[in-house]
Amino acid sequence: MANSALRTIIVAKKKLTGSEDLEKRDKKDVYEVEQSGLTMIALIGIKDILRPEVPGAISKCKTAGVKVRMVTGDNLLTARAIALECGIIEPENKDSIVMNGLDFINAVGGVVCSDCNTKMCDCPTNPEEAEKRKMKQRKDTIANGEAFDKIVNNLDVLSRSRPEDKYALVVGLIERGNVVAVTGDGTNDAPALKKADVGFAMGI
């Protein structure tokens, strides 16, 4: 199903005795009561139908020299299938990189302050605050620029991505002199939309 661009959902049930701890969670914030003893009821595949104009729009972007990347919460297999279907990935391109957001952020080290070299610091993030506190304004940079450079040219899809993954990609691209446009449809896209040269907030 994932290879056919479907999002997969399993519906399951579990009989409870009443003595279970319903609050205990593991390191990944998953309730322990939900981790075993489940019986599958159904396996469902859901597909967002690709709008007919999308492949043509991506083709026009490529002709104009615009590199199109997909950053999505879908799993890697589903994301790759959708990217192939809409033309972001060419089937014959063996160099194309599709990777999970967490793997990407671990490889490039995430975003850090260029002066403090830490993810969190006291440097003000806006010019007014910097002037008021007589400090340099924080400038974000990719922690491991060398790793970013090895990945970014062939990176076509980031799957299972989080807001910080999308933001790191935008920071790294702008830092390397690219003009970046970002589309997003949720509040979690706000940091990347704001950082981009052009941000398209997609409404209903």
Side-chain angles (χ1 to χ4, degrees):
M1 285 183 177
N3 282 329
S4 300
L6 273 73
R7 293 177 176 135
T8 54
I9 299 171
I10 289 177
V11 180
K13 68 175 182 177
K14 179 175 183 176
K15 190 172 183 179
L16 302 179
T17 64
S19 61
E20 293 85 2
D21 184 343
L22 302 179
E23 299 299 321
K24 194 173 182 184
R25 307 183 192 201
D26 66 8
K27 292 177 184 175
K28 294 182 179 177
D29 207 32
V30 177
Y31 289 103
E32 289 193 1
V33 71
E34 297 175 348
Q35 294 180 25
S36 63
L38 295 160
T39 302
M40 188 174 88
I41 299 170
L43 175 63
I44 303 166
I46 300 173
K47 183 167 185 176
D48 284 338
I49 302 301
L50 201 64
R51 282 165 38 196
E53 67 270 22
V54 171
I58 289 170
S59 178
K60 284 179 182 177
C61 285
K62 287 184 173 182
T63 301
V66 177
K67 169 82 173 173
V68 180
R69 293 181 171 90
M70 184 169 76
V71 182
T72 177
D74 284 330
N75 74 57
L76 192 140
L77 292 174
T78 304
R80 186 194 299 276
I82 294 169
L84 280 164
E85 193 176 336
C86 66
I88 291 174
I89 298 176
E90 303 292 340
E92 66 278 2
N93 183 3
K94 304 301 179 192
D95 296 323
S96 177
I97 296 175
V98 178
M99 69 189 306
N100 282 323
L102 187 60
D103 295 331
F104 169 74
I105 212 81
N106 286 339
V108 304
V111 174
V112 295
C113 173
S114 59
D115 288 323
C116 306
N117 203 32
T118 57
K119 290 181 183 180
M120 302 295 290
C121 69
D122 291 328
C123 296
T125 56
N126 64 69
E128 293 82 10
E129 184 68 16
E131 190 176 337
K132 183 180 171 183
R133 292 169 59 188
K134 301 288 188 284
M135 293 175 69
K136 275 188 182 179
Q137 183 181 349
R138 176 178 168 128
K139 183 185 175 193
D140 285 335
T141 186
I142 296 296
N144 188 342
E146 193 176 327
F148 185 92
D149 291 336
K150 286 179 182 175
I151 294 168
V152 74
N153 287 339
N154 293 317
L155 180 64
D156 290 316
V157 180
L158 271 185
S159 61
R160 285 282 186 242
S161 64
R162 305 157 303 164
E164 55 265 41
D165 308 328
K166 196 170 191 175
Y167 182 74
L169 179 59
V170 174
V171 167
L173 288 169
I174 290 175
E175 197 174 25
R176 281 147 185 80
N178 296 282
V179 177
V180 180
V182 171
T183 63
D185 61 2
T187 53
N188 61 349
D189 293 316
L193 287 167
K194 187 177 178 183
K195 182 68 177 177
D197 297 293
V198 182
F200 297 99
M202 313 296 281
I204 295 173

